Amino acid sequence: MTPEFDLIARYFTRPQPHTELGIGDDAALIAVPPGHQLAISADMLVAGTHFFADAAPYGIGWKSLAVNISDMAAMGAEARWATLAIALPEIKEAWLAEFSRGFFDCADRFGVSLIGGDTTRGPLTISVQIMGIVPQQQALTRSGAKAGDDIWVSGPLGTAALALAAMQGHYPLTADALAECSVALHQPQPRAALGLALRQLAHSAIDISDGLLADLGHILQASQLGADIRFADIPLSPITRQHIADNAVQSFVLGGGDDYELCFTAPSAKREQIATLGRQLGLSLGVIGQTRAQAGVDVYDADNTRLDIKKTGFDHFQ
Ligand code: ADP
Ligand code: MG
């Protein structure tokens, strides 16, 4: 056995349900159930850009798959299969063991089979492709929003950006507060069950990877709409709420990336049903505003004055 095959066998080969032919041949074979479409997406994580090169490998493994599952959730698709292309500067068994433990903990939690990939030497880079299934015509897209829809988010928002700012020394947090926030950054929980349930309820959806205003902006652009947002209705974590008077923290909530929550729009007639769904799933869902025919986005604070988005420092994220 060459070392590469040995590595793949040891760290990346696990049982692969829903798979006709898995790891070990030139390609995997899968069958898409009749009446379904295949949803496909990929996300790449580069050391130094998307994570610190010395970050805990468990979290890197978890997150590399979790961010992809989040894309499936945003489409209303059920994540099923993933491939993993990984470039490693050197073979460190302890690192690989922890990376693969994080990856497979996430895979097991969300029912995803790792069915193939590529392993090569190079600057630490992790590229995951994910495939899921969705019944024909039922996928949630960015372009389906209608004027007057409620705008919903799952929350809390801003926690991951707050943790990142604290880790980089750009925002003061106590060690305890940072430890609590950094779970959101290192181990995001993709909203898979929510995405599936929203197929029947939402007009459009996206996952929040680049920040609320940026990602909501993609829905609005694709649907040719604008929006009014009530800042006070955005779900926050207790720590974020403690610091919310600070402009920087407001910018984390509106513009900070890495939350992997869902933002979606739905007719107001579905409001009760969606609130009930949120309670059933144990999620903090909030209606944060409405879409409108007129382009642009206005954000209002609790006493109905318009927030100066530039003053919040949101511009830093654009
Ligand atoms: P090939 O040279 O035909 O591309 P490889 O030697 O790269 O095949 O890989 C052998 C098998 O191991 C293939 O089935 C491939 O999909 C799988 N594989 C390689 N790297 C990984 C990885 N990091 N995770 C999961 N499967 C992998
Ligand atoms: Mg190969």
Side-chain angles (χ1 to χ4, degrees):
M1 241 189 194
T2 68
E4 187 195 336
F5 291 138
D6 197 27
L7 275 187
I8 296 164
R10 201 168 330 149
Y11 296 112
F12 297 120
T13 308
R14 297 283 183 280
Q16 295 150 69
H18 299 303
T19 305
E20 300 195 331
L21 182 64
I23 289 176
D25 215 306
D26 292 311
L29 299 174
I30 55 176
V32 179
H36 288 69
Q37 287 173 302
L38 194 59
I40 305 173
S41 176
D43 249 312
M44 185 151 68
L45 300 184
V46 179
T49 304
H50 302 98
F51 59 91
F52 300 111
D54 61 354
Y58 180 93
I60 301 171
W62 174 283
K63 190 167 178 175
S64 66
L65 182 58
V67 300
N68 281 279
I69 295 171
S70 178
D71 282 318
M72 292 291 105
M75 291 301 289
E78 186 183 329
R80 280 251 170 123
W81 307 278
T83 63
L84 167 67
I86 184 165
L88 298 163
E90 60 192 318
I91 290 165
K92 283 198 222 152
E93 301 256 345
W95 192 96
L96 273 173
E98 275 300 284
F99 173 87
S100 84
R101 197 169 67 84
F103 188 97
F104 283 111
D105 275 358
C106 187
D108 293 346
R109 163 74 183 74
F110 293 97
V112 173
S113 299
L114 180 64
I115 59 167
D118 201 16
T119 307
T120 176
R121 202 173 284 269
L124 182 57
T125 304
I126 297 138
S127 184
V128 174
Q129 184 187 46
I130 192 144
M131 287 148 281
I133 52 169
V134 57
Q136 295 274 1
Q137 312 301 331
Q138 287 189 33
L140 293 168
T141 62
R142 300 176 179 189
S143 59
K146 307 271 182 284
D149 272 359
D150 284 338
I151 299 168
W152 289 82
V153 292
S154 62
L157 295 188
T159 322
L162 181 58
L164 182 62
M167 285 170 68
Q168 292 174 327
H170 298 157
Y171 195 84
L173 277 189
T174 64
D176 282 355
L178 173 57
E180 207 176 312
C181 290
S182 52
V183 178
L185 182 65
H186 297 309
Q187 222 174 302
Q189 301 293 320
R191 301 307 181 192
L194 176 61
L196 294 190
L198 288 177
R199 276 179 200 157
Q200 316 296 333
L201 298 167
H203 280 157
S204 66
I206 193 166
D207 68 321
I208 303 178
S209 53
D210 295 332
L212 172 63
L213 291 187
D215 290 316
L216 171 62
H218 295 313
I219 287 184
L220 297 175
Q221 195 176 20
S223 302
Q224 297 187 289
L225 295 171
D228 294 301
I229 302 296
R230 293 178 302 275
F231 187 77
D233 292 341
I234 299 174
L236 303 177
S237 69
I239 292 170
T240 310
R241 191 169 294 286
Q242 274 170 28
H243 294 263
I244 200 63
D246 196 304
N247 276 343
V249 176
Q250 293 177 9
S251 78
F252 301 151
V253 172
L254 291 172
D258 270 347
D259 283 314
Y260 299 100
E261 296 293 344
L262 294 185
C263 175
F264 55 97
T265 78
S268 58
K270 303 282 189 198
R271 202 176 289 178
E272 276 314 307
Q273 237 179 305
I274 294 171
T276 304
L277 173 67
R279 281 190 295 274
Q280 284 167 350
L281 295 176
L283 298 175
S284 49
L285 300 186
V287 180
I288 62 162
Q290 277 74 35
T291 57
R292 67 183 192 205
Q294 186 202 351
V297 176
D298 292 306
V299 183
Y300 297 90
D301 69 11
D303 57 15
N304 228 19
T305 47
R306 208 167 67 176
L307 276 185
D308 185 344
I309 301 293
K310 287 203 172 67
K311 224 167 134 190
T312 64
F314 167 65
D315 273 10
H316 296 308
F317 293 95
Q318 289 183 314

